[in-house]
Each structure stands twice: as structure tokens, then as C-alpha cells.
Amino acid sequence: EAQVTQNPRYLITVTGKKLTVTCSQNMNHEYMSWYRQDPGLGLRQIYYSMNVEVTDKGDVPEGYKVSRKEKRNFPLILESPSPNQTSLYFCASSSPGPGASYEQYFGPGTRLTVT
Amino acid sequence: GQNIDQPTEMTATEGAIVQINCTYQTSGFNGLFWYQQHAGEAPTFLSYNVLDGLEEKGRFSSFLSRSKGYSYLLLKELQMKDSASYLCAIGAGSYQLTFGKGTKLSVIP
């Protein structure tokens, strides 16, 4: 089954304790992206990757790191989490489709709470 | 940059038709997307418009006017399961999407 998986789905942590949220897709997609979703603010892009070893900042990259060593995986790293990073995080992947369409497939989400 | 506006909330009756509008301003345009998101779940793709006009897909249709920076999503024969948030998104550049804040649709009996 074609899918994007994220782990963990739920995480409660404390300020300053480094954490990694994993993302993996089995559709051989070139493009992967991380978003955070907050009430009243919608989905905002954190980082994206066009292919292996190619990453770039989105709209809200501060406090986050990413890496793309393999095509299928795109982990999100919070080196020193702070309470303002409490949010719902989504990973997504896509590849060019008909008519230049590039439907994004989303993972199930990771709900992170930083206390 | 991009600016996307859509209503925050809408309410409609089961069996009725509802139109959710989206206006946008963008410096680059590769297409307009609509996504559906049920509470606590991931967004799922509904439609894609790159040319002006109406795209129909079952009970859902999406319209685009590039000259007016305007799109709408039309939902017919509303069902209770259509209660969700509907996200308008602009594609610009290499596979990137910028999302609006979403419209929360409540379908009432």
C-alpha cells in the first residue's frame, strides 16, 4: 500500500531535550516536505527536499533541522525543543503527475507537546 | 510571496449545495489545489486546477479564474461526512504548496 508513515504519532517532551520525528514514503517520490499546523494559522511549511542531499528552508524553519540521506526518508530534528514548537506536524511527499499536477500525499501526523 | 484568503467557517444543510471560495495573490503559479481535512487527520487531495474553468469529480467540482485570482470548491448533495476543513493551496515553484488557513464546514441535519 502506497503510504507516508511518521513516528512517533504522539510525543510529550521537555524543553531542551533533542528529538527526531521520522518520515518514510514507499512511493519513490522525489519531493518531501514537513509542515506544522496550528489553530488559526493553517499549514505552514518548515523544510522541503527536492531529492537526496537537496534540502531547503520553508516559511518557518527556525529551531528545526532536516536531512535527506535516502530517497525514502526525511527525518525532522528538533535540537533543543521549546514550548512554541508544540504543534501538529505533517510529513508529505509528491512526484510530478499528469499535466504537471503534483498531488502531495500526507503522513498521519505527529502531535508534539513540549513542556 | 503568496496570500490566500478563504472563509474561516461555513455551515450548510445535509443534501444542499455549498460553495467555498478562495482568493489568492501570488508571484508564481503552477496550479491550485483543494484538500479535505477531517479533524485530527491528515489532509487528503480533492482537486487540481491549472487552467481556467470547471473540473468536476463526482459530487465535488472546482473552478479557477487565473485572471481574477479566484477559485471555488462546490460540494453537491452534502452528507454529514463532508463536515471537515477544506484547504485551498497554491502551487508555485518546484512542487511547493502554500496553504490557506482553511474553511471549516459544518453540515447539519
Side-chain angles (χ1 to χ4, degrees), chain A residues 31 35 37 40-41 43 45 48 50 90 96 99-104 106-107, chain B residues 30 33 35 37 41-43 45 48 87 91-97 99-101:
Chain A
Y31 179 86
Y35 297 90
Q37 188 172 38
L41 297 178
L43 275 166
Q45 189 177 53
Y48 65 96
M50 294 298 299
F90 288 103
S101 162
Y102 42 96
E103 172 188 348
Q104 290 200 8
F106 284 80
Chain B
N30 286 349
F33 297 75
Y35 281 78
Q37 186 179 24
E41 298 183 8
F45 173 78
Y48 168 73
L87 314 180
S94 307
Y95 311 143
Q96 286 185 267
L97 291 182
F99 285 85
K101 295 179 181 178

PDB file of all heavy atoms in Angstrom, chain A residues 31 35 37 40-41 43 45 48 50 90 96 99-104 106-107, chain B residues 30 33 35 37 41-43 45 48 87 91-97 99-101:
ATOM      1  N   TYR A  31      10.124  14.474  -4.067  1.00  0.00           N
ATOM      2  CA  TYR A  31       9.889  15.631  -3.213  1.00  0.00           C
ATOM      3  C   TYR A  31       9.295  15.210  -1.878  1.00  0.00           C
ATOM      4  O   TYR A  31       8.344  14.423  -1.815  1.00  0.00           O
ATOM      5  CB  TYR A  31       8.932  16.589  -3.916  1.00  0.00           C
ATOM      6  CG  TYR A  31       8.567  17.822  -3.135  1.00  0.00           C
ATOM      7  CD1 TYR A  31       9.361  18.956  -3.165  1.00  0.00           C
ATOM      8  CD2 TYR A  31       7.405  17.852  -2.368  1.00  0.00           C
ATOM      9  CE1 TYR A  31       9.014  20.093  -2.455  1.00  0.00           C
ATOM     10  CE2 TYR A  31       7.050  18.976  -1.660  1.00  0.00           C
ATOM     11  CZ  TYR A  31       7.859  20.097  -1.708  1.00  0.00           C
ATOM     12  OH  TYR A  31       7.518  21.220  -1.003  1.00  0.00           O
ATOM     13  N   TYR A  35       5.489  20.065   7.407  1.00  0.00           N
ATOM     14  CA  TYR A  35       4.611  21.174   7.756  1.00  0.00           C
ATOM     15  C   TYR A  35       4.294  21.101   9.247  1.00  0.00           C
ATOM     16  O   TYR A  35       4.305  20.041   9.849  1.00  0.00           O
ATOM     17  CB  TYR A  35       3.278  21.076   7.009  1.00  0.00           C
ATOM     18  CG  TYR A  35       3.357  21.157   5.509  1.00  0.00           C
ATOM     19  CD1 TYR A  35       3.512  20.004   4.736  1.00  0.00           C
ATOM     20  CD2 TYR A  35       3.235  22.378   4.857  1.00  0.00           C
ATOM     21  CE1 TYR A  35       3.564  20.075   3.350  1.00  0.00           C
ATOM     22  CE2 TYR A  35       3.283  22.450   3.468  1.00  0.00           C
ATOM     23  CZ  TYR A  35       3.439  21.292   2.727  1.00  0.00           C
ATOM     24  OH  TYR A  35       3.489  21.361   1.358  1.00  0.00           O
ATOM     25  N   GLN A  37       1.043  22.503  11.796  1.00  0.00           N
ATOM     26  CA  GLN A  37      -0.309  23.029  11.714  1.00  0.00           C
ATOM     27  C   GLN A  37      -0.736  23.511  13.080  1.00  0.00           C
ATOM     28  O   GLN A  37      -0.739  22.739  14.054  1.00  0.00           O
ATOM     29  CB  GLN A  37      -1.283  21.980  11.187  1.00  0.00           C
ATOM     30  CG  GLN A  37      -2.676  22.529  10.907  1.00  0.00           C
ATOM     31  CD  GLN A  37      -3.563  21.514  10.210  1.00  0.00           C
ATOM     32  OE1 GLN A  37      -3.510  20.326  10.501  1.00  0.00           O
ATOM     33  NE2 GLN A  37      -4.387  21.981   9.264  1.00  0.00           N
ATOM     34  N   GLY A  40      -5.736  28.441  13.715  1.00  0.00           N
ATOM     35  CA  GLY A  40      -5.777  29.816  13.222  1.00  0.00           C
ATOM     36  C   GLY A  40      -4.652  30.191  12.279  1.00  0.00           C
ATOM     37  O   GLY A  40      -4.682  31.261  11.674  1.00  0.00           O
ATOM     38  N   LEU A  41      -3.662  29.304  12.139  1.00  0.00           N
ATOM     39  CA  LEU A  41      -2.520  29.620  11.275  1.00  0.00           C
ATOM     40  C   LEU A  41      -2.426  28.702  10.072  1.00  0.00           C
ATOM     41  O   LEU A  41      -1.675  28.971   9.136  1.00  0.00           O
ATOM     42  CB  LEU A  41      -1.217  29.544  12.068  1.00  0.00           C
ATOM     43  CG  LEU A  41      -1.078  30.533  13.213  1.00  0.00           C
ATOM     44  CD1 LEU A  41       0.236  30.312  13.951  1.00  0.00           C
ATOM     45  CD2 LEU A  41      -1.157  31.977  12.703  1.00  0.00           C
ATOM     46  N   LEU A  43      -1.604  25.296   7.724  1.00  0.00           N
ATOM     47  CA  LEU A  43      -0.409  24.508   7.461  1.00  0.00           C
ATOM     48  C   LEU A  43       0.717  25.426   7.003  1.00  0.00           C
ATOM     49  O   LEU A  43       0.564  26.156   6.028  1.00  0.00           O
ATOM     50  CB  LEU A  43      -0.687  23.494   6.349  1.00  0.00           C
ATOM     51  CG  LEU A  43      -1.319  22.169   6.725  1.00  0.00           C
ATOM     52  CD1 LEU A  43      -1.819  21.463   5.476  1.00  0.00           C
ATOM     53  CD2 LEU A  43      -0.320  21.288   7.457  1.00  0.00           C
ATOM     54  N   GLN A  45       4.890  25.509   5.958  1.00  0.00           N
ATOM     55  CA  GLN A  45       5.992  24.644   5.577  1.00  0.00           C
ATOM     56  C   GLN A  45       7.244  24.950   6.383  1.00  0.00           C
ATOM     57  O   GLN A  45       7.636  26.114   6.535  1.00  0.00           O
ATOM     58  CB  GLN A  45       6.277  24.799   4.087  1.00  0.00           C
ATOM     59  CG  GLN A  45       7.264  23.782   3.538  1.00  0.00           C
ATOM     60  CD  GLN A  45       7.471  23.928   2.053  1.00  0.00           C
ATOM     61  OE1 GLN A  45       7.780  25.009   1.558  1.00  0.00           O
ATOM     62  NE2 GLN A  45       7.295  22.845   1.336  1.00  0.00           N
ATOM     63  N   TYR A  48      11.753  21.554   3.054  1.00  0.00           N
ATOM     64  CA  TYR A  48      11.416  20.636   1.984  1.00  0.00           C
ATOM     65  C   TYR A  48      12.695  20.110   1.339  1.00  0.00           C
ATOM     66  O   TYR A  48      13.782  20.662   1.535  1.00  0.00           O
ATOM     67  CB  TYR A  48      10.501  21.292   0.940  1.00  0.00           C
ATOM     68  CG  TYR A  48      11.119  22.445   0.169  1.00  0.00           C
ATOM     69  CD1 TYR A  48      11.695  22.244  -1.072  1.00  0.00           C
ATOM     70  CD2 TYR A  48      11.074  23.742   0.684  1.00  0.00           C
ATOM     71  CE1 TYR A  48      12.238  23.302  -1.784  1.00  0.00           C
ATOM     72  CE2 TYR A  48      11.617  24.803  -0.022  1.00  0.00           C
ATOM     73  CZ  TYR A  48      12.188  24.585  -1.247  1.00  0.00           C
ATOM     74  OH  TYR A  48      12.735  25.630  -1.950  1.00  0.00           O
ATOM     75  N   MET A  50      14.048  18.420  -2.467  1.00  0.00           N
ATOM     76  CA  MET A  50      13.757  18.085  -3.858  1.00  0.00           C
ATOM     77  C   MET A  50      14.276  16.708  -4.239  1.00  0.00           C
ATOM     78  O   MET A  50      13.798  16.108  -5.198  1.00  0.00           O
ATOM     79  CB  MET A  50      14.385  19.130  -4.785  1.00  0.00           C
ATOM     80  CG  MET A  50      13.786  20.511  -4.648  1.00  0.00           C
ATOM     81  SD  MET A  50      12.048  20.504  -5.075  1.00  0.00           S
ATOM     82  CE  MET A  50      12.140  19.967  -6.768  1.00  0.00           C
ATOM     83  N   PHE A  90       3.095  17.408  10.072  1.00  0.00           N
ATOM     84  CA  PHE A  90       2.810  16.514   8.952  1.00  0.00           C
ATOM     85  C   PHE A  90       3.994  16.441   8.008  1.00  0.00           C
ATOM     86  O   PHE A  90       4.585  17.470   7.656  1.00  0.00           O
ATOM     87  CB  PHE A  90       1.590  16.995   8.147  1.00  0.00           C
ATOM     88  CG  PHE A  90       0.279  16.827   8.840  1.00  0.00           C
ATOM     89  CD1 PHE A  90      -0.346  17.910   9.422  1.00  0.00           C
ATOM     90  CD2 PHE A  90      -0.326  15.589   8.902  1.00  0.00           C
ATOM     91  CE1 PHE A  90      -1.565  17.763  10.058  1.00  0.00           C
ATOM     92  CE2 PHE A  90      -1.549  15.427   9.538  1.00  0.00           C
ATOM     93  CZ  PHE A  90      -2.174  16.524  10.126  1.00  0.00           C
ATOM     94  N   PRO A  96       5.980  14.451  -9.835  1.00  0.00           N
ATOM     95  CA  PRO A  96       5.217  15.023 -10.945  1.00  0.00           C
ATOM     96  C   PRO A  96       4.200  14.039 -11.484  1.00  0.00           C
ATOM     97  O   PRO A  96       4.472  12.856 -11.627  1.00  0.00           O
ATOM     98  CB  PRO A  96       6.283  15.315 -11.997  1.00  0.00           C
ATOM     99  CG  PRO A  96       7.542  15.410 -11.244  1.00  0.00           C
ATOM    100  CD  PRO A  96       7.407  14.467 -10.089  1.00  0.00           C
ATOM    101  N   GLY A  99      -0.188  16.503 -16.473  1.00  0.00           N
ATOM    102  CA  GLY A  99      -0.460  17.931 -16.548  1.00  0.00           C
ATOM    103  C   GLY A  99       0.283  18.739 -15.526  1.00  0.00           C
ATOM    104  O   GLY A  99      -0.204  19.760 -15.061  1.00  0.00           O
ATOM    105  N   ALA A 100       1.450  18.257 -15.136  1.00  0.00           N
ATOM    106  CA  ALA A 100       2.278  18.938 -14.125  1.00  0.00           C
ATOM    107  C   ALA A 100       1.623  18.932 -12.756  1.00  0.00           C
ATOM    108  O   ALA A 100       2.053  19.654 -11.864  1.00  0.00           O
ATOM    109  CB  ALA A 100       2.627  20.368 -14.553  1.00  0.00           C
ATOM    110  N   SER A 101       0.575  18.173 -12.592  1.00  0.00           N
ATOM    111  CA  SER A 101      -0.002  18.038 -11.256  1.00  0.00           C
ATOM    112  C   SER A 101       0.988  17.383 -10.315  1.00  0.00           C
ATOM    113  O   SER A 101       1.728  16.494 -10.721  1.00  0.00           O
ATOM    114  CB  SER A 101      -1.256  17.170 -11.346  1.00  0.00           C
ATOM    115  OG  SER A 101      -1.620  16.672 -10.079  1.00  0.00           O
ATOM    116  N   TYR A 102       1.001  17.809  -9.090  1.00  0.00           N
ATOM    117  CA  TYR A 102       1.879  17.158  -8.134  1.00  0.00           C
ATOM    118  C   TYR A 102       1.177  17.029  -6.798  1.00  0.00           C
ATOM    119  O   TYR A 102       1.534  17.663  -5.812  1.00  0.00           O
ATOM    120  CB  TYR A 102       3.219  17.877  -7.993  1.00  0.00           C
ATOM    121  CG  TYR A 102       3.163  19.391  -7.936  1.00  0.00           C
ATOM    122  CD1 TYR A 102       3.161  20.064  -6.728  1.00  0.00           C
ATOM    123  CD2 TYR A 102       3.147  20.141  -9.106  1.00  0.00           C
ATOM    124  CE1 TYR A 102       3.133  21.448  -6.674  1.00  0.00           C
ATOM    125  CE2 TYR A 102       3.119  21.522  -9.057  1.00  0.00           C
ATOM    126  CZ  TYR A 102       3.112  22.169  -7.845  1.00  0.00           C
ATOM    127  OH  TYR A 102       3.084  23.528  -7.805  1.00  0.00           O
ATOM    128  N   GLU A 103       0.186  16.174  -6.793  1.00  0.00           N
ATOM    129  CA  GLU A 103      -0.569  15.896  -5.584  1.00  0.00           C
ATOM    130  C   GLU A 103       0.376  15.490  -4.465  1.00  0.00           C
ATOM    131  O   GLU A 103       1.258  14.644  -4.657  1.00  0.00           O
ATOM    132  CB  GLU A 103      -1.553  14.762  -5.850  1.00  0.00           C
ATOM    133  CG  GLU A 103      -2.262  14.237  -4.626  1.00  0.00           C
ATOM    134  CD  GLU A 103      -3.069  13.000  -4.929  1.00  0.00           C
ATOM    135  OE1 GLU A 103      -3.252  12.680  -6.111  1.00  0.00           O
ATOM    136  OE2 GLU A 103      -3.511  12.347  -3.971  1.00  0.00           O
ATOM    137  N   GLN A 104       0.203  16.096  -3.308  1.00  0.00           N
ATOM    138  CA  GLN A 104       1.012  15.743  -2.148  1.00  0.00           C
ATOM    139  C   GLN A 104       0.268  14.721  -1.302  1.00  0.00           C
ATOM    140  O   GLN A 104      -0.922  14.860  -1.034  1.00  0.00           O
ATOM    141  CB  GLN A 104       1.363  16.982  -1.332  1.00  0.00           C
ATOM    142  CG  GLN A 104       2.353  17.878  -2.049  1.00  0.00           C
ATOM    143  CD  GLN A 104       3.089  18.833  -1.131  1.00  0.00           C
ATOM    144  OE1 GLN A 104       2.988  18.764   0.086  1.00  0.00           O
ATOM    145  NE2 GLN A 104       3.841  19.746  -1.725  1.00  0.00           N
ATOM    146  N   PHE A 106       0.081  12.973   2.353  1.00  0.00           N
ATOM    147  CA  PHE A 106       0.452  13.336   3.712  1.00  0.00           C
ATOM    148  C   PHE A 106       0.535  12.111   4.619  1.00  0.00           C
ATOM    149  O   PHE A 106      -0.235  11.157   4.475  1.00  0.00           O
ATOM    150  CB  PHE A 106      -0.581  14.303   4.304  1.00  0.00           C
ATOM    151  CG  PHE A 106      -0.445  15.703   3.789  1.00  0.00           C
ATOM    152  CD1 PHE A 106      -0.959  16.066   2.558  1.00  0.00           C
ATOM    153  CD2 PHE A 106       0.220  16.657   4.540  1.00  0.00           C
ATOM    154  CE1 PHE A 106      -0.822  17.360   2.077  1.00  0.00           C
ATOM    155  CE2 PHE A 106       0.355  17.955   4.072  1.00  0.00           C
ATOM    156  CZ  PHE A 106      -0.164  18.306   2.837  1.00  0.00           C
ATOM    157  N   GLY A 107       1.477  12.163   5.559  1.00  0.00           N
ATOM    158  CA  GLY A 107       1.513  11.187   6.627  1.00  0.00           C
ATOM    159  C   GLY A 107       0.404  11.461   7.628  1.00  0.00           C
ATOM    160  O   GLY A 107      -0.294  12.477   7.535  1.00  0.00           O
TER     161      GLY A 107
ATOM    162  N   ASN B  30       1.640  27.516 -10.344  1.00  0.00           N
ATOM    163  CA  ASN B  30       1.702  26.231 -11.033  1.00  0.00           C
ATOM    164  C   ASN B  30       0.407  25.457 -10.913  1.00  0.00           C
ATOM    165  O   ASN B  30       0.325  24.321 -11.360  1.00  0.00           O
ATOM    166  CB  ASN B  30       2.840  25.382 -10.458  1.00  0.00           C
ATOM    167  CG  ASN B  30       4.199  25.876 -10.892  1.00  0.00           C
ATOM    168  OD1 ASN B  30       4.303  26.716 -11.781  1.00  0.00           O
ATOM    169  ND2 ASN B  30       5.229  25.376 -10.263  1.00  0.00           N
ATOM    170  N   PHE B  33      -4.863  23.852  -5.710  1.00  0.00           N
ATOM    171  CA  PHE B  33      -5.253  22.574  -5.147  1.00  0.00           C
ATOM    172  C   PHE B  33      -6.309  22.777  -4.062  1.00  0.00           C
ATOM    173  O   PHE B  33      -6.290  23.778  -3.348  1.00  0.00           O
ATOM    174  CB  PHE B  33      -4.045  21.886  -4.501  1.00  0.00           C
ATOM    175  CG  PHE B  33      -2.937  21.534  -5.449  1.00  0.00           C
ATOM    176  CD1 PHE B  33      -2.100  22.516  -5.944  1.00  0.00           C
ATOM    177  CD2 PHE B  33      -2.733  20.225  -5.831  1.00  0.00           C
ATOM    178  CE1 PHE B  33      -1.064  22.196  -6.812  1.00  0.00           C
ATOM    179  CE2 PHE B  33      -1.706  19.890  -6.704  1.00  0.00           C
ATOM    180  CZ  PHE B  33      -0.868  20.876  -7.189  1.00  0.00           C
ATOM    181  N   TYR B  35      -7.781  20.535  -0.733  1.00  0.00           N
ATOM    182  CA  TYR B  35      -7.611  19.381   0.129  1.00  0.00           C
ATOM    183  C   TYR B  35      -8.742  19.363   1.150  1.00  0.00           C
ATOM    184  O   TYR B  35      -9.246  20.407   1.573  1.00  0.00           O
ATOM    185  CB  TYR B  35      -6.273  19.440   0.883  1.00  0.00           C
ATOM    186  CG  TYR B  35      -5.083  19.019   0.054  1.00  0.00           C
ATOM    187  CD1 TYR B  35      -4.523  19.884  -0.874  1.00  0.00           C
ATOM    188  CD2 TYR B  35      -4.521  17.760   0.209  1.00  0.00           C
ATOM    189  CE1 TYR B  35      -3.423  19.504  -1.627  1.00  0.00           C
ATOM    190  CE2 TYR B  35      -3.424  17.367  -0.544  1.00  0.00           C
ATOM    191  CZ  TYR B  35      -2.885  18.241  -1.458  1.00  0.00           C
ATOM    192  OH  TYR B  35      -1.807  17.853  -2.215  1.00  0.00           O
ATOM    193  N   GLN B  37      -9.670  17.974   5.040  1.00  0.00           N
ATOM    194  CA  GLN B  37      -9.032  17.509   6.265  1.00  0.00           C
ATOM    195  C   GLN B  37     -10.074  17.335   7.355  1.00  0.00           C
ATOM    196  O   GLN B  37     -10.629  18.317   7.854  1.00  0.00           O
ATOM    197  CB  GLN B  37      -7.941  18.482   6.720  1.00  0.00           C
ATOM    198  CG  GLN B  37      -7.154  17.966   7.918  1.00  0.00           C
ATOM    199  CD  GLN B  37      -6.061  18.914   8.360  1.00  0.00           C
ATOM    200  OE1 GLN B  37      -6.112  20.116   8.123  1.00  0.00           O
ATOM    201  NE2 GLN B  37      -5.030  18.371   9.007  1.00  0.00           N
ATOM    202  N   GLU B  41      -6.959  14.509  11.468  1.00  0.00           N
ATOM    203  CA  GLU B  41      -6.439  13.621  10.438  1.00  0.00           C
ATOM    204  C   GLU B  41      -5.576  14.383   9.432  1.00  0.00           C
ATOM    205  O   GLU B  41      -5.496  15.602   9.454  1.00  0.00           O
ATOM    206  CB  GLU B  41      -7.585  12.914   9.718  1.00  0.00           C
ATOM    207  CG  GLU B  41      -8.411  12.030  10.636  1.00  0.00           C
ATOM    208  CD  GLU B  41      -9.498  11.285   9.888  1.00  0.00           C
ATOM    209  OE1 GLU B  41      -9.520  11.326   8.640  1.00  0.00           O
ATOM    210  OE2 GLU B  41     -10.328  10.664  10.556  1.00  0.00           O
ATOM    211  N   ALA B  42      -4.944  13.649   8.542  1.00  0.00           N
ATOM    212  CA  ALA B  42      -4.114  14.263   7.514  1.00  0.00           C
ATOM    213  C   ALA B  42      -4.968  14.834   6.389  1.00  0.00           C
ATOM    214  O   ALA B  42      -6.055  14.318   6.096  1.00  0.00           O
ATOM    215  CB  ALA B  42      -3.151  13.227   6.946  1.00  0.00           C
ATOM    216  N   PRO B  43      -4.500  15.887   5.744  1.00  0.00           N
ATOM    217  CA  PRO B  43      -5.197  16.383   4.545  1.00  0.00           C
ATOM    218  C   PRO B  43      -5.177  15.332   3.441  1.00  0.00           C
ATOM    219  O   PRO B  43      -4.186  14.607   3.279  1.00  0.00           O
ATOM    220  CB  PRO B  43      -4.364  17.604   4.135  1.00  0.00           C
ATOM    221  CG  PRO B  43      -3.602  17.997   5.349  1.00  0.00           C
ATOM    222  CD  PRO B  43      -3.343  16.723   6.090  1.00  0.00           C
ATOM    223  N   PHE B  45      -6.084  14.872  -0.828  1.00  0.00           N
ATOM    224  CA  PHE B  45      -6.233  15.599  -2.080  1.00  0.00           C
ATOM    225  C   PHE B  45      -7.644  15.472  -2.633  1.00  0.00           C
ATOM    226  O   PHE B  45      -8.216  14.381  -2.672  1.00  0.00           O
ATOM    227  CB  PHE B  45      -5.230  15.031  -3.078  1.00  0.00           C
ATOM    228  CG  PHE B  45      -5.355  15.555  -4.482  1.00  0.00           C
ATOM    229  CD1 PHE B  45      -4.855  16.796  -4.816  1.00  0.00           C
ATOM    230  CD2 PHE B  45      -5.949  14.789  -5.466  1.00  0.00           C
ATOM    231  CE1 PHE B  45      -4.946  17.267  -6.115  1.00  0.00           C
ATOM    232  CE2 PHE B  45      -6.053  15.247  -6.764  1.00  0.00           C
ATOM    233  CZ  PHE B  45      -5.544  16.494  -7.093  1.00  0.00           C
ATOM    234  N   TYR B  48      -7.365  19.532  -8.494  1.00  0.00           N
ATOM    235  CA  TYR B  48      -6.255  20.339  -9.002  1.00  0.00           C
ATOM    236  C   TYR B  48      -6.726  21.086 -10.244  1.00  0.00           C
ATOM    237  O   TYR B  48      -7.287  20.477 -11.155  1.00  0.00           O
ATOM    238  CB  TYR B  48      -5.079  19.429  -9.350  1.00  0.00           C
ATOM    239  CG  TYR B  48      -3.968  20.068 -10.142  1.00  0.00           C
ATOM    240  CD1 TYR B  48      -3.101  20.969  -9.553  1.00  0.00           C
ATOM    241  CD2 TYR B  48      -3.770  19.742 -11.486  1.00  0.00           C
ATOM    242  CE1 TYR B  48      -2.065  21.538 -10.272  1.00  0.00           C
ATOM    243  CE2 TYR B  48      -2.735  20.302 -12.215  1.00  0.00           C
ATOM    244  CZ  TYR B  48      -1.881  21.200 -11.607  1.00  0.00           C
ATOM    245  OH  TYR B  48      -0.859  21.764 -12.315  1.00  0.00           O
ATOM    246  N   LEU B  87      -9.039  23.001   2.517  1.00  0.00           N
ATOM    247  CA  LEU B  87      -7.836  23.817   2.391  1.00  0.00           C
ATOM    248  C   LEU B  87      -7.581  24.143   0.927  1.00  0.00           C
ATOM    249  O   LEU B  87      -7.509  23.242   0.088  1.00  0.00           O
ATOM    250  CB  LEU B  87      -6.624  23.062   2.950  1.00  0.00           C
ATOM    251  CG  LEU B  87      -6.770  22.368   4.305  1.00  0.00           C
ATOM    252  CD1 LEU B  87      -5.471  21.672   4.682  1.00  0.00           C
ATOM    253  CD2 LEU B  87      -7.178  23.356   5.368  1.00  0.00           C
ATOM    254  N   GLY B  91       0.177  26.173  -5.836  1.00  0.00           N
ATOM    255  CA  GLY B  91       1.445  25.587  -6.214  1.00  0.00           C
ATOM    256  C   GLY B  91       2.284  26.642  -6.909  1.00  0.00           C
ATOM    257  O   GLY B  91       1.819  27.329  -7.812  1.00  0.00           O
ATOM    258  N   ALA B  92       3.523  26.778  -6.453  1.00  0.00           N
ATOM    259  CA  ALA B  92       4.423  27.749  -7.078  1.00  0.00           C
ATOM    260  C   ALA B  92       5.835  27.219  -6.938  1.00  0.00           C
ATOM    261  O   ALA B  92       6.236  26.828  -5.853  1.00  0.00           O
ATOM    262  CB  ALA B  92       4.297  29.111  -6.420  1.00  0.00           C
ATOM    263  N   GLY B  93       6.577  27.224  -8.036  1.00  0.00           N
ATOM    264  CA  GLY B  93       7.927  26.697  -7.938  1.00  0.00           C
ATOM    265  C   GLY B  93       7.933  25.189  -7.968  1.00  0.00           C
ATOM    266  O   GLY B  93       6.966  24.543  -8.337  1.00  0.00           O
ATOM    267  N   SER B  94       8.995  24.633  -7.501  1.00  0.00           N
ATOM    268  CA  SER B  94       9.222  23.204  -7.652  1.00  0.00           C
ATOM    269  C   SER B  94       8.457  22.384  -6.613  1.00  0.00           C
ATOM    270  O   SER B  94       8.956  22.133  -5.529  1.00  0.00           O
ATOM    271  CB  SER B  94      10.714  22.920  -7.524  1.00  0.00           C
ATOM    272  OG  SER B  94      11.433  23.726  -8.418  1.00  0.00           O
ATOM    273  N   TYR B  95       7.263  22.013  -6.924  1.00  0.00           N
ATOM    274  CA  TYR B  95       6.431  21.118  -6.109  1.00  0.00           C
ATOM    275  C   TYR B  95       5.981  21.738  -4.794  1.00  0.00           C
ATOM    276  O   TYR B  95       5.384  21.065  -3.973  1.00  0.00           O
ATOM    277  CB  TYR B  95       7.149  19.801  -5.771  1.00  0.00           C
ATOM    278  CG  TYR B  95       7.776  19.107  -6.945  1.00  0.00           C
ATOM    279  CD1 TYR B  95       8.988  18.454  -6.813  1.00  0.00           C
ATOM    280  CD2 TYR B  95       7.173  19.102  -8.184  1.00  0.00           C
ATOM    281  CE1 TYR B  95       9.578  17.814  -7.883  1.00  0.00           C
ATOM    282  CE2 TYR B  95       7.763  18.464  -9.264  1.00  0.00           C
ATOM    283  CZ  TYR B  95       8.970  17.832  -9.104  1.00  0.00           C
ATOM    284  OH  TYR B  95       9.559  17.209 -10.160  1.00  0.00           O
ATOM    285  N   GLN B  96       6.286  22.989  -4.559  1.00  0.00           N
ATOM    286  CA  GLN B  96       5.903  23.575  -3.279  1.00  0.00           C
ATOM    287  C   GLN B  96       4.455  23.995  -3.266  1.00  0.00           C
ATOM    288  O   GLN B  96       3.923  24.451  -4.279  1.00  0.00           O
ATOM    289  CB  GLN B  96       6.778  24.793  -2.987  1.00  0.00           C
ATOM    290  CG  GLN B  96       8.179  24.424  -2.572  1.00  0.00           C
ATOM    291  CD  GLN B  96       8.946  25.652  -2.174  1.00  0.00           C
ATOM    292  OE1 GLN B  96       9.630  26.247  -2.984  1.00  0.00           O
ATOM    293  NE2 GLN B  96       8.808  26.051  -0.919  1.00  0.00           N
ATOM    294  N   LEU B  97       3.832  23.861  -2.120  1.00  0.00           N
ATOM    295  CA  LEU B  97       2.467  24.307  -1.911  1.00  0.00           C
ATOM    296  C   LEU B  97       2.424  25.295  -0.764  1.00  0.00           C
ATOM    297  O   LEU B  97       3.068  25.085   0.271  1.00  0.00           O
ATOM    298  CB  LEU B  97       1.542  23.138  -1.583  1.00  0.00           C
ATOM    299  CG  LEU B  97       1.239  22.122  -2.672  1.00  0.00           C
ATOM    300  CD1 LEU B  97       0.254  21.081  -2.151  1.00  0.00           C
ATOM    301  CD2 LEU B  97       0.661  22.800  -3.902  1.00  0.00           C
ATOM    302  N   PHE B  99      -0.475  26.903   1.663  1.00  0.00           N
ATOM    303  CA  PHE B  99      -1.860  26.630   2.028  1.00  0.00           C
ATOM    304  C   PHE B  99      -2.530  27.860   2.618  1.00  0.00           C
ATOM    305  O   PHE B  99      -1.911  28.652   3.344  1.00  0.00           O
ATOM    306  CB  PHE B  99      -1.912  25.509   3.068  1.00  0.00           C
ATOM    307  CG  PHE B  99      -1.663  24.140   2.508  1.00  0.00           C
ATOM    308  CD1 PHE B  99      -0.373  23.674   2.341  1.00  0.00           C
ATOM    309  CD2 PHE B  99      -2.724  23.324   2.139  1.00  0.00           C
ATOM    310  CE1 PHE B  99      -0.144  22.411   1.810  1.00  0.00           C
ATOM    311  CE2 PHE B  99      -2.506  22.062   1.615  1.00  0.00           C
ATOM    312  CZ  PHE B  99      -1.210  21.603   1.452  1.00  0.00           C
ATOM    313  N   GLY B 100      -3.818  27.999   2.338  1.00  0.00           N
ATOM    314  CA  GLY B 100      -4.644  28.935   3.070  1.00  0.00           C
ATOM    315  C   GLY B 100      -4.932  28.374   4.455  1.00  0.00           C
ATOM    316  O   GLY B 100      -4.559  27.233   4.772  1.00  0.00           O
ATOM    317  N   LYS B 101      -5.617  29.158   5.286  1.00  0.00           N
ATOM    318  CA  LYS B 101      -5.858  28.728   6.659  1.00  0.00           C
ATOM    319  C   LYS B 101      -6.997  27.729   6.779  1.00  0.00           C
ATOM    320  O   LYS B 101      -7.213  27.165   7.846  1.00  0.00           O
ATOM    321  CB  LYS B 101      -6.110  29.947   7.542  1.00  0.00           C
ATOM    322  CG  LYS B 101      -4.876  30.835   7.647  1.00  0.00           C
ATOM    323  CD  LYS B 101      -5.126  32.065   8.497  1.00  0.00           C
ATOM    324  CE  LYS B 101      -3.864  32.911   8.541  1.00  0.00           C
ATOM    325  NZ  LYS B 101      -4.061  34.156   9.320  1.00  0.00           N
TER     326      LYS B 101
END
